[in-house]
Amino acid sequence: MGSTSSTDVVIVGAGLSGLVAACEALDAGRRVTIVDQEPRANLGGQAWWSFGGLFLVDSPEQRRMRVRDSLELARQDWFASAGFDRPEDAWPRRWAEAYLDFAAGEKRSWLRSLGVSFFPVVGWAERGGGTARSHGNSVPRFHITWGTGPGIVEPFAEKALQAEREGRLRLRFRHRVDELVVTDGAVVGVQGSVLTPSPASRGEASSREVIDEFTISAGAVVVAAGGIGGDHDLVRRMWPSRLGTPPARMLSGVPAHVDGRMLGIASDAGAHLINGDRMWHYTEGIENHSPVWERHGIRILPGPSSLWLDATGRRLPVPLFPGFDTLGTLEHILATGYDHSWFVLTQKIIEKEFALSGSEQNPDLTGRDLGLLAQRVRPGAPGPVEAFKERGSDFVVADSLSSLVEGMQALEPSGPLSASSVVEEVEARDREMANEFTKDAQITALRGARKYLGDRLIRVASPHRLQDPAAGPLIAVRLRVLTRKTLGGIETDLTGQALSASGAPVPGLYAAGEASGFGGGGMHGYRSLEGTFLGGCLFSGRTAGRASARAL
């Protein structure tokens, strides 16, 4: 049996990039169908769960915070971080250039025209800590959307739902694409399985029981189905040797349906997959005390003050401080032979410096609640952070350093943690606080960070001894690797059209979002500057949506 239908543009994936592509095609007067294997509750995909951070260059928000940014400085940072070094980086390089122009140009005004606004304090992610020509952001560029991830999804979802009510867009949930239909070398539609209806809420696992089949013919197909972060076995198979041995234990920063299926299906239809060994996983993962999906982890967005120790209790080397170099830290931790590390900090630090990634962990920003937001500048940790401290399985709270170490060892009873090493590291660090000057590069960095108004106001605690009773109690947090983003994917030209291994366009096939490495097959290269994943979905979705509509 099975159903058959036709449309102008069919989009695989109802996440942010797919919604943006659909809106652009609809604006061009095209008939659009979106198919997604998950229930309607997942409209917006991974973006809905995000903190809503966006990379902007020389924005009014930056200027109000006395940050001097420029396209030239942003380009210097991007290309130093990307480290493009392969022949197949030709299109990713061009995408990076185009995205930087977008981020320094119309990105903000375009979003503002859609009703998107930003929290006034700009965050400083991926600080780098090396030289001017090494990885990292030279200045704060992380703009938090007012409404976080749902606030970014909202204008595109509302437009799509309105188009559905008007009959211009068909949303086909529980429709899993199993094959791209190819005729005479051109992609002319999709075929797949209709899955049984599911009551699963957003992010929850849903049934894979097949009840029917479907075929949709189309003038163009846009693959916007995300990456591989929900499939740990696939992550391990793609794991690059440069990052060491894959962790035995990992938490998931994305739901299980982020499974990478469409990458292989696109490859079977002639698309060229590149840079599959480039990926972005976090080292500051903690287990969610109220999980939505299996192995559900949350990332701590740390300020720079916590003391970072490896599994044995040794301090991480310069410049691997909290919030400075994600992949450099990942590589170092795995080189120790263990898959976890520790933060040691104080109540004073957690109150000012800990934020949790995710829309659900930031109800003030997500709910646009000014009263709740005001609590961030009052004494005490934000509610969600305090809840993790009290209920999270990775937290140890103690009034003395010896008790803290005992609690850390109890969390990892078979681990290699040396009590004497922890004590020596904490005491040595505390001795460096006696003067305004120090040889400790981390202390110098946090004092420098407080010269930035945004960090001084809400992000970096005043320097103090970890064993200062007035700053206590002491806190330790066990950190694990958290899967997140695929940086490679379907190679595309600057219109978002998929390319074959020979470099020729694959007629009728386009890609956007994480499935395309956020553009070109990997516009980030090896490393991200943060705030660039949502932005990459916006830019690549807009590009592919416009191009697929024009091609008809």
Side-chain angles (χ1 to χ4, degrees), residues 241-296:
S241 59
R242 66 180 178 273
L243 292 181
T245 303
R249 301 178 298 177
M250 291 189 289
L251 298 172
S252 284
V254 295
H257 63 252
V258 185
D259 56 14
R261 288 185 72 256
M262 283 306 303
L263 295 175
I265 292 169
S267 177
D268 290 343
H272 187 211
L273 305 183
I274 61 174
N275 298 320
D277 64 331
R278 293 178 181 169
M279 50 186 68
W280 190 257
H281 306 304
Y282 292 111
T283 52
E284 311 99 329
I286 53 176
E287 189 173 354
N288 194 340
H289 58 73
S290 303
V292 177
W293 54 82
E294 186 179 1
R295 296 172 293 196
H296 187 176

Side-chain angles (χ1 to χ4, degrees), residues 423-437:
V423 171
E424 289 168 3
E425 293 287 8
V426 170
E427 290 182 345
R429 185 262 190 201
D430 280 359
R431 291 188 192 102
E432 295 291 320
M433 302 304 300
N435 296 287
E436 288 297 314
F437 47 89

Side-chain angles (χ1 to χ4, degrees), residues 70-387:
S70 67
L71 177 58
E72 294 76 19
L73 184 60
R75 187 185 188 281
Q76 174 179 298
D77 290 345
W78 189 290
F79 279 81
S81 300
F84 295 122
D85 60 0
R86 299 171 176 175
E88 57 265 43
D89 282 334
W91 285 109
R93 283 176 180 270
R94 295 176 68 179
W95 268 88
E97 293 278 13
Y99 180 72
L100 285 165
D101 287 340
F102 178 61
E106 64 174 313
K107 180 179 178 181
R108 183 182 181 278
S109 61
W110 175 60
L111 290 171
R112 290 283 293 176
S113 73
L114 297 171
V116 176
S117 58
F118 303 100
F119 185 61
V121 179
V122 183
W124 196 350
E126 283 296 294
R127 302 177 187 224
T131 65
R133 297 186 63 195
S134 62
H135 165 66
N137 283 295
S138 298
V139 297
R141 298 191 176 103
F142 192 80
H143 295 67
I144 301 169
T145 303
W146 187 231
T148 66
I152 284 287
V153 170
E154 183 177 73
F156 304 102
E158 288 182 350
K159 190 171 186 177
L161 293 173
Q162 179 62 33
E164 181 186 34
R165 289 189 290 269
E166 295 169 353
R168 297 183 296 121
L169 169 68
R170 290 181 297 182
L171 283 164
R172 296 291 182 258
F173 293 98
R174 304 299 285 158
H175 281 55
R176 183 186 69 195
V177 172
D178 299 323
E179 180 183 358
L180 298 179
V181 180
V182 180
T183 301
D184 297 328
V187 174
V188 296
V190 298
Q191 291 180 341
S193 304
V194 180
L195 306 179
T196 186
S198 172
S201 298
R202 184 184 293 275
E204 293 180 347
S206 61
S207 167
R208 291 295 178 260
E209 180 185 352
V210 175
I211 58 173
D212 203 352
E213 298 176 346
F214 72 93
T215 300
I216 303 174
S217 60
V221 175
V222 179
V223 174
I228 69 173
D231 186 336
H232 288 197
D233 291 336
L234 184 54
V235 168
R236 290 188 178 96
R237 287 201 298 273
M238 302 300 292
W239 193 272
S241 59
R242 66 180 178 273
L243 292 181
T245 303
R249 301 178 298 177
M250 291 189 289
L251 298 172
S252 284
V254 295
H257 63 252
V258 185
D259 56 14
R261 288 185 72 256
M262 283 306 303
L263 295 175
I265 292 169
S267 177
D268 290 343
H272 187 211
L273 305 183
I274 61 174
N275 298 320
D277 64 331
R278 293 178 181 169
M279 50 186 68
W280 190 257
H281 306 304
Y282 292 111
T283 52
E284 311 99 329
I286 53 176
E287 189 173 354
N288 194 340
H289 58 73
S290 303
V292 177
W293 54 82
E294 186 179 1
R295 296 172 293 196
H296 187 176
I298 298 293
R299 185 205 174 195
I300 295 171
L301 300 173
S305 297
S306 296
L307 189 67
W308 205 336
L309 306 177
D310 67 19
T312 71
R314 291 190 297 267
R315 192 170 175 184
L316 270 59
V318 175
L320 304 183
F321 312 135
F324 277 64
D325 184 350
T326 294
L327 292 193
T329 306
L330 176 61
E331 181 180 356
H332 176 82
I333 289 171
L334 295 182
T336 68
Y338 301 96
D339 55 16
H340 70 279
S341 61
W342 300 93
F343 277 166
V344 174
L345 59 148
T346 64
Q347 180 68 23
K348 184 175 181 178
I349 291 173
I350 202 172
E351 289 181 0
K352 194 153 189 176
E353 298 198 7
F354 267 35
L356 299 172
S357 181
S359 56
E360 79 281 23
Q361 301 301 330
N362 294 276
D364 50 355
L365 292 165
T366 302
R368 303 179 175 99
D369 188 325
L370 292 174
L372 198 57
L373 181 65
Q375 295 181 12
R376 288 187 181 243
V377 296
R378 295 172 184 163
V385 173
E386 191 65 28

